[in-house]
Amino acid sequence: MRAAVLRETPLLIGLLTLIGLETTHLLDWLLLQPALPVLTGLALLSLLVLLMARGVAHHADQLAEQLGEPLGTLVLTGSVIVIELALIASTMLTGESNPTLARDSMFSVLMIVLTGVKGMTLIVAARVQRQGRTQPMQPEDLASVNQSGSSAYINLITTISVLALVLPNFSQDSLEANYSLPINWLLTFVSISLYGIFLRGQVGRYRNLFIDTTQPQASGTLSLAEGPMEDPTLSHGPQGSILHSGVLMAAGLLVLVLIAESMGSLIETGINDLGLPSSLGGLLVGVLVVAPEALNALQAAGKGELQRSLNTLYGSSLSTLCLTVPAVLAIGEFTGTDVILGLDPLESVLLVLTLVLVRPISGRVSEMDGLMLLTVGVVWVALQVVS
């Protein structure tokens, strides 16, 4: 009991901090201070966010074990995307007009998740796989993933990201890097429909494509050839435990993201005081927002559950693309706000390179696969700093 209370201490501190930021002028006072106090406050808030993210990852891990794969990881990615959409929508409706807001948000999430976090995940999983081995690694000794499920994820991520972030630059039915209204509505329909069909297959008939290939099928399930599978949640932990973990995870996510959003002006002030480019602020906020999913993926990889890590990372990227694009296009149309989807040429090249590297060639991965992705991520961050 005492350990459980101590584990939720970051959430309680985060809740009190959020109340303080919203009801006092502490943040306004801090913004007027020199660089050192600003950076100190930013460091303390970042540490709190990371501690809360660790708690969120813990509850997400419990849900994944209680609900089974892939349903367990869908809970975490679903919670994050709902909050992310709420933040983007509130900014578009109440903040200054920023036509590239959605584009920059989606691209940042893709690069953070698919290069930095996935690169570290592959390295961790590969090292766990070779622990205790004294002989040279054979192909069958490498960390394995379910290639069919990973390919399904990457195919859909590639399709939507190219249609939404690259192709608008070459469209001739609009003067800006965007589509005309009929094409935008078509893109909205396609994104939502494909995502819905994908989720239905992932938790239903094609569930086996998204679990570890070495994991035995749950008792009472049928193979794909034999017909639909039974609900995996029926054989797991009590509903009270699932509800408890789900409520604490959702509360932690909400407080975490709201604190990260409140830190936006603090990050901007600190960056300006240090003479760094403003684009770096969006990167830092993005890192804090995806921290729960990143920690959950790394935690699963440390247990040797690479497929669950990839389900979390790919699911986050896919939901960001398929749900953010329709939401932003609809808000932009109804409020008269300009929306620019097409990436700059440099970002387009980096996105295409990332999509090539994340595509699974075989069902086995090594540390080299992770290092290549990390290299792309480091170069992207460096370009954000010097641009």
Side-chain angles (χ1 to χ4, degrees):
M1 180 65 181
R2 183 179 180 182
V5 173
L6 290 176
R7 188 165 50 241
E8 304 307 326
T9 300
L11 174 58
L12 296 176
I13 297 176
L15 183 59
L16 293 175
T17 301
L18 180 61
I19 294 174
L21 292 175
E22 295 295 330
T23 60
T24 68
H25 299 286
L26 176 61
L27 186 60
D28 296 331
W29 173 83
L30 193 58
L31 292 174
L32 300 177
Q33 304 306 307
L36 182 58
V38 171
L39 295 178
T40 301
L42 183 59
L44 292 175
L45 287 176
S46 298
L47 177 61
L48 175 60
V49 167
L50 293 177
L51 290 175
M52 292 179 60
R54 184 179 179 184
V56 170
H58 169 75
H59 292 300
D61 191 57
Q62 288 185 327
L63 279 176
E65 293 178 357
Q66 294 163 353
L67 296 175
E69 283 300 304
L71 189 59
T73 54
L74 286 177
V75 176
L76 176 61
T77 56
S79 301
V80 170
I81 190 60
V82 167
I83 298 176
E84 181 181 348
L85 285 174
L87 292 175
I88 293 177
S90 63
T91 303
M92 291 185 65
L93 293 173
T94 62
E96 296 181 0
S97 177
N98 185 356
T100 63
L101 173 66
R103 180 197 73 181
D104 295 340
S105 174
M106 289 184 289
F107 182 65
S108 295
V109 169
L110 286 177
M111 294 302 294
I112 293 171
V113 170
L114 296 182
T115 61
V117 182
K118 184 184 175 182
M120 290 186 289
T121 295
L122 294 183
I123 292 174
V124 170
R127 291 189 174 183
V128 169
Q129 189 71 14
R130 65 178 173 85
Q131 281 181 353
R133 297 182 181 273
T134 57
Q135 300 297 325
M137 298 286 287
Q138 300 296 324
E140 60 270 16
D141 297 328
L142 298 176
S144 63
V145 298
N146 195 323
Q147 186 176 358
S148 297
S150 297
S151 296
Y153 263 124
I154 295 301
N155 287 339
L156 191 49
I157 291 173
T158 300
T159 299
I160 300 300
S161 60
V162 171
L163 289 179
L165 300 177
V166 178
L167 198 59
N169 289 320
F170 304 94
S171 174
Q172 298 182 356
D173 63 343
S174 176
L175 297 179
E176 296 181 333
N178 194 5
Y179 298 117
S180 61
L181 181 59
I183 303 299
N184 278 336
W185 284 119
L186 176 62
L187 180 61
T188 297
F189 174 77
V190 168
S191 299
I192 296 177
S193 299
L194 286 178
Y195 189 59
I197 294 172
F198 179 84
L199 289 183
R200 182 180 179 183
Q202 186 183 20
V203 300
R205 179 175 293 274
Y206 300 106
R207 174 180 174 269
N208 279 354
L209 302 183
F210 302 93
I211 62 176
D212 195 323
T213 53
T214 61
Q215 177 181 334
Q217 289 188 359
S219 176
T221 59
L222 301 174
S223 66
L224 297 182
E226 294 173 327
M229 304 179 63
E230 295 180 7
D231 188 353
T233 64
L234 299 179
S235 60
H236 290 273
Q239 294 297 321
S241 178
I242 294 177
L243 180 62
H244 178 264
S245 298
V247 169
L248 289 177
M249 187 195 72
L253 277 170
L254 180 60
V255 176
L256 183 153
V257 177
L258 291 177
I259 290 179
E261 182 69 12
S262 299
M263 291 168 58
S265 56
L266 199 61
I267 291 175
E268 183 178 357
T269 300
I271 288 176
N272 291 336
D273 291 343
L274 294 176
L276 298 175
S278 58
S279 59
L280 194 59
L283 170 62
L284 295 178
V285 173
V287 170
L288 295 176
V289 170
V290 302
E293 293 172 308
L295 290 177
N296 181 258
L298 291 172
Q299 185 172 312
K303 297 179 180 179
E305 300 174 349
L306 179 58
Q307 188 62 47
R308 181 149 68 89
S309 296
L310 296 183
N311 287 345
T312 301
L313 300 179
Y314 291 156
S316 172
S317 303
L318 185 58
S319 60
T320 295
L321 287 168
C322 290
L323 299 181
T324 301
V325 169
V328 169
L329 289 177
I331 294 174
E333 178 63 26
F334 290 126
T335 62
T337 304
D338 293 332
V339 175
I340 295 179
L341 291 178
L343 294 170
D344 296 334
L346 179 62
E347 295 173 335
S348 298
V349 172
L350 283 174
L351 176 61
V352 171
L353 176 60
T354 299
L355 294 174
V356 170
L357 292 179
V358 299
R359 182 169 295 278
I361 299 177
S362 66
R364 303 286 176 172
V365 295
S366 67
E367 291 177 333
M368 290 302 301
D369 299 303
L371 286 174
M372 287 187 293
L373 289 172
L374 271 180
T375 300
V376 176
V378 169
V379 170
W380 171 64
V381 172
L383 291 173
Q384 297 296 307
V385 173
V386 301
S387 61

